[in-house]
Amino acid sequence: LEMFGTLNGDKGVYEPFHLYSMRQAIEEKFILDVLANYTTYQTYWRIEKKVADDPTYEGPQARRAIARFVSLHPTNLAQKAEIIIEHFRTHTAPKIGGRAKAMVVTSSRLHAVRYKQALDRYIESKGYNNLAALVAFSGTVIDEKGLDYTESQMNTFPMSETARRFDGDDYQVLIVAEKFQTGFDQPLLHTMYVDKVLTGLAAVQTLSRLNRWHPEKEETFV
């Protein structure tokens, strides 16, 4: 017990010798501040539109950007897939020496399945042969049509290999439903797309997947 703290006679409880806070760890650069570049979908849209409206921005490109983002609806999975992939390609992919990775946090296992399908379809439709997504969830998911899906089947290799494959250069995006939201250590994780409500400890543990240090990692994005 002396290793962890001392007894406070007045309160009758053990107290730690020292508290090493997240703020101190961030200041001493042992972990990164994952909320430094947090933004909501609405804020991201306004930033993109402001850039597009800039008179120094190329006219046709500005009009295309405005049309694209105005037409997107946040509840449509296919449109969310476009936002994720195009944001990743434009803003995330060049980070960490071109090795940056992203995590998509979904609200259920079925959402994870649908996101995997939507991202794969969008990537294939654009011919992006240098970008691929993996999915991580436990058990078997049965959809409304009675079709069943597993992590291994969707990734086309055993689930025991998911973390190792994601660590390599072949996969850049990992879609998760609970699994890997905690206890997953991947320093190349730079960006997180969160499509679920996060509160309390779950929010801290999930967003902390991004704070792992890497010599070429200067910031994160949520």
Side-chain angles (χ1 to χ4, degrees):
L1 291 174
E2 290 180 359
M3 181 177 178
F4 299 100
T6 56
L7 180 65
N8 184 320
D10 296 331
K11 298 181 180 179
V13 297
Y14 282 91
E15 296 182 341
F17 288 122
H18 176 66
L19 289 175
Y20 189 63
S21 67
M22 290 183 70
R23 178 179 295 277
Q24 184 178 351
I26 290 168
E27 291 173 350
E28 296 177 356
K29 300 188 183 304
F30 283 106
I31 61 175
L32 283 78
D33 182 0
V34 300
L35 293 181
N37 289 302
Y38 166 80
T39 188
T40 63
Y41 170 81
Q42 290 84 357
T43 300
Y44 174 64
W45 183 87
R46 286 197 298 270
I47 292 171
E48 291 289 336
K49 187 176 185 302
K50 183 176 181 180
V51 170
D53 283 338
D54 190 325
T56 64
Y57 202 70
E58 181 185 354
Q61 187 176 358
R63 287 192 291 274
R64 286 195 299 271
I66 292 171
R68 182 174 68 252
F69 283 97
V70 168
S71 67
L72 294 178
H73 193 283
T75 60
N76 186 295
L77 202 56
Q79 294 170 340
K80 288 180 180 181
E82 178 179 352
I83 294 169
I84 289 170
I85 295 302
E86 295 303 336
H87 176 273
F88 181 89
R89 294 181 69 249
T90 302
H91 300 286
T92 303
K95 304 293 185 180
I96 318 182
R99 300 182 63 206
K101 297 179 182 292
M103 178 179 283
V104 181
V105 180
T106 69
S107 57
S108 73
R109 297 183 305 153
L110 182 57
H111 278 85
V113 168
R114 293 293 183 241
Y115 257 110
K116 167 68 170 162
Q117 294 170 331
L119 265 62
D120 284 353
R121 280 195 296 267
Y122 184 78
I123 291 170
E124 182 179 2
S125 72
K126 292 294 184 178
Y128 296 152
N129 54 19
N130 59 344
L131 180 56
L134 292 175
V135 68
F137 60 88
S138 58
T140 300
V141 175
I142 301 176
D143 69 6
E144 64 279 0
K145 297 179 180 179
L147 300 175
D148 56 67
Y149 301 89
T150 65
E151 176 182 324
S152 298
Q153 173 237 326
M154 297 197 79
N155 290 335
T156 70
F157 52 75
M159 60 187 297
S160 59
E161 294 186 21
T162 301
R164 183 182 67 82
R165 295 289 187 102
F166 187 58
D167 189 51
D169 296 330
D170 293 334
Y171 298 94
Q172 295 73 37
V173 180
L174 178 63
I175 307 154
V176 303
E178 298 297 338
K179 187 176 181 179
F180 290 148
Q181 278 185 234
T182 62
F184 180 56
D185 189 0
Q186 175 49 262
L188 293 175
L189 266 181
H190 174 279
T191 297
M192 184 174 285
Y193 305 101
V194 183
D195 193 14
K196 70 176 293 186
V197 175
L198 294 176
T199 60
L201 184 60
V204 174
Q205 292 180 330
T206 300
L207 297 178
S208 291
R209 296 313 99 214
L210 294 178
N211 68 17
R212 301 310 194 258
W213 182 87
H214 185 281
E216 297 181 78
K217 189 175 179 180
E218 299 178 352
E219 82 289 302
T220 62
F221 185 87
V222 182

